Amino acid sequence: MVGVMVVAPLVVLGAYNDVNLSSGTTISTTVGGGAVDLTVTNGVIQSVTVESGSMDIVFAAGSSIIITSAGKRNFTYNLDKVTASFECGSSSSALTLNLAPGQSAETVTVTPTSTTCVAVGVGGSGSSSSSSTTSTTSTTSTTSSTPTTTTTTTTTTATPSTTTSTTATIAPTPTTLAVVTAAPVAVSAPSVSVAVLSAEINPGARSDDVKTLQTLLASDPTIYPEGTVSGFYGPKTTAAVKKFQAKYGLPTVGRVGPATLAKINEVYGETSSAATPVTTPSASTQSQTIDQIQSQIQSQIQTIQNQINALTSGAAVTGAITSELDPGTRNDEVRTLQTLLASDPTIYPEGTVSGFYGPKTTAAVKKFQAKYGLPTVGRVGPATMQKINEVLGGQSAPITPESPSSQAPAPSTTASMIDQITAQIKAIQDQIKALQGQ
């Protein structure tokens, strides 16, 4: 039977070897043939179960205990979240175990060994054996009043088994021995969470906050593929905000309200230990980008103007496609296709005539195919080519003279199409104003 003696304060034992200890309590017991003292320095130790050769200690969060051996015995132990440190003094050894606040309870088995530790001193060596990850740094320096040999040895370990030994060579004259032991201090740079947006924003706003919003959204091409940073909260920015809201389960209202503001700061907020350089596009790069966008807009304006002229003059859009076309093609046939499709703003509202069969042209072809009951494959095959030439190219029947009243589209149809084109022009003008404001 293992004896357990409570020193102070008095503890009621559930069994002879199962103890619940609170802070300030010390018990003495015998383990493995040697006496040890257990002192709780913080929190509550839920239980201590003493076996013949080991102890099982159950730690609650925020608890710590010191196990002292007057016989200067070493200890072995298993750890998970509990941390440990071991000290070997001139008359005793001490093992300190600590479980930080907020951690779940943990059981540690401590076994006193048959070996004893040796305090660092002249001509001696010290050792501790454990599974602790605590690092120990020991420095020994020797000086004398006469010429002598001085040896300084520093050993640093941070492995599951920590062993530190120091040996000093001394001349046969009186010497002064200084031993300095210091635990390493881990220093990490502070992490700073940066809130990238500070206020709610509505469509139509123009501010630096809008520029910040656009920059953040542009970092995800699936949300804001255009990536324009103009400072103006226009239709494309509104659409990007809606995509962001849909992606993160928010109401797709298109404005940056409290919930969207918090989510943007959560998703795009930066956490860093040092200032990160911000790369700003050079003036020449910005100018080149703006020039490219303005060139595209001017091309769109010209296409729309051609459509208006055709509608108001009653002239038909001429031209026909003579071969099949696939996405990715670049030639004059694609220009003819784009010109024909642009005559119907409901099919090809962008109206870009570039000669390149890109995603927008593919989408327009699919809209045409859907409108006229064809498979929406996005390429111009035989059936699509025939239907485009029939509907938009005017090749289905010979051209015959018509009375003046039948040459122009119906007034109501013309007015509706002109209204659509006028809306497009206004949207383009807004883009130009936004670019000029950069």
Side-chain angles (χ1 to χ4, degrees):
M1 177 174 178
V2 179
V4 180
M5 179 181 68
V6 178
V7 177
L10 183 62
V11 177
V12 179
L13 306 181
Y16 77 92
N17 63 346
D18 191 348
V19 186
N20 183 282
L21 306 175
S22 58
S23 179
T25 302
T26 299
I27 65 172
S28 297
T29 185
T30 300
V31 184
V36 293
D37 294 335
L38 289 79
T39 302
V40 181
T41 59
N42 196 35
V44 175
I45 299 298
Q46 294 181 352
S47 68
V48 177
T49 303
V50 181
E51 304 292 347
S52 60
S54 64
M55 298 173 286
D56 290 334
I57 305 173
V58 180
F59 288 79
S63 60
S64 58
I65 191 170
I66 299 176
I67 304 174
T68 306
S69 168
K72 299 175 60 176
R73 300 170 73 184
N74 289 315
F75 299 92
T76 61
Y77 40 87
N78 63 302
L79 300 178
D80 182 12
K81 298 178 287 297
V82 172
T83 59
S85 62
F86 179 83
E87 295 180 4
C88 185
S90 59
S91 60
S92 64
S93 62
L95 172 65
T96 301
L97 302 174
N98 176 70
L99 180 61
Q103 301 287 351
S104 57
E106 180 178 340
T107 300
V108 177
T109 299
V110 179
T111 304
T113 68
S114 59
T115 61
T116 58
C117 67
V118 179
V120 177
V122 176
S125 63
S127 67
S128 63
S129 175
S130 70
S131 59
S132 169
T133 56
T134 302
S135 298
T136 303
T137 303
S138 298
T139 303
T140 302
S141 59
T142 305
T143 58
S144 65
S145 58
T146 60
T148 184
T149 302
T150 301
T151 302
T152 301
T153 305
T154 301
T155 304
T156 302
T157 60
T159 61
S161 179
T162 303
T163 303
T164 303
S165 61
T166 305
T167 302
T169 303
I170 307 170
T173 55
T175 62
T176 301
L177 179 64
V179 179
V180 180
T181 303
V185 179
V187 180
S188 59
S191 296
V192 180
S193 180
V194 181
V196 291
L197 285 180
S198 58
E200 301 175 27
I201 314 175
N202 293 313
R206 186 188 299 273
S207 65
D208 289 338
D209 261 354
V210 177
K211 286 188 177 182
T212 301
L213 171 65
Q214 291 168 330
T215 300
L216 295 173
L217 295 175
S219 66
D220 187 346
T222 65
I223 290 177
Y224 190 29
E226 297 85 358
T228 304
V229 180
S230 62
F232 173 67
Y233 199 138
K236 292 184 179 180
T237 304
T238 303
V241 170
K242 287 184 177 180
K243 289 181 182 179
F244 176 90
Q245 291 166 332
K247 181 174 182 179
Y248 292 98
L250 301 171
T252 54
V253 294
R255 70 178 296 271
V256 179
T260 303
L261 177 68
K263 180 58 70 173
I264 287 176
N265 285 336
E266 175 189 339
V267 173
Y268 297 114
E270 298 176 352
T271 301
S272 59
S273 58
T276 303
V278 178
T279 303
T280 303
S282 64
S284 60
T285 302
Q286 290 180 335
S287 176
Q288 181 181 8
T289 302
I290 292 173
D291 289 343
Q292 291 173 346
I293 295 174
Q294 287 179 331
S295 176
Q296 294 175 2
I297 291 174
Q298 292 298 334
S299 175
Q300 293 177 15
I301 291 174
Q302 184 60 50
T303 300
I304 293 172
Q305 188 61 54
N306 292 339
Q307 296 173 15
I308 294 175
N309 292 338
L311 289 170
T312 55
S313 65
V317 179
T318 59
I321 304 172
T322 60
S323 62
E324 300 178 28
L325 297 171
D326 292 298
T329 304
R330 187 189 298 275
N331 58 30
D332 289 338
E333 282 277 87
V334 177
R335 287 181 180 273
T336 301
L337 170 65
Q338 291 168 331
T339 301
L340 294 172
L341 294 174
S343 65
D344 187 344
T346 64
I347 291 177
Y348 191 29
E350 296 83 3
T352 304
V353 180
S354 63
F356 175 65
Y357 199 138
K360 291 183 179 180
T361 303
T362 303
V365 170
K366 287 183 177 181
K367 288 181 181 179
F368 177 90
Q369 291 167 332
K371 183 174 181 177
Y372 291 99
L374 301 171
T376 55
V377 294
R379 71 177 298 271
V380 178
T384 302
M385 179 173 65
Q386 179 180 353
K387 180 58 70 173
I388 288 176
N389 288 336
E390 174 188 338
V391 175
L392 303 175
Q395 287 192 349
S396 60
I399 299 176
T400 57
E402 297 179 344
S403 62
S405 61
S406 64
Q407 290 180 353
S412 60
T413 304
T414 301
S416 175
M417 296 182 70
I418 289 177
D419 287 343
Q420 293 178 10
I421 294 173
T422 302
Q424 288 181 295
I425 292 175
K426 185 179 184 305
I428 293 172
Q429 289 173 338
D430 290 341
Q431 293 181 42
I432 294 174
K433 288 180 181 178
L435 290 172
Q436 291 174 340
Q438 292 189 16

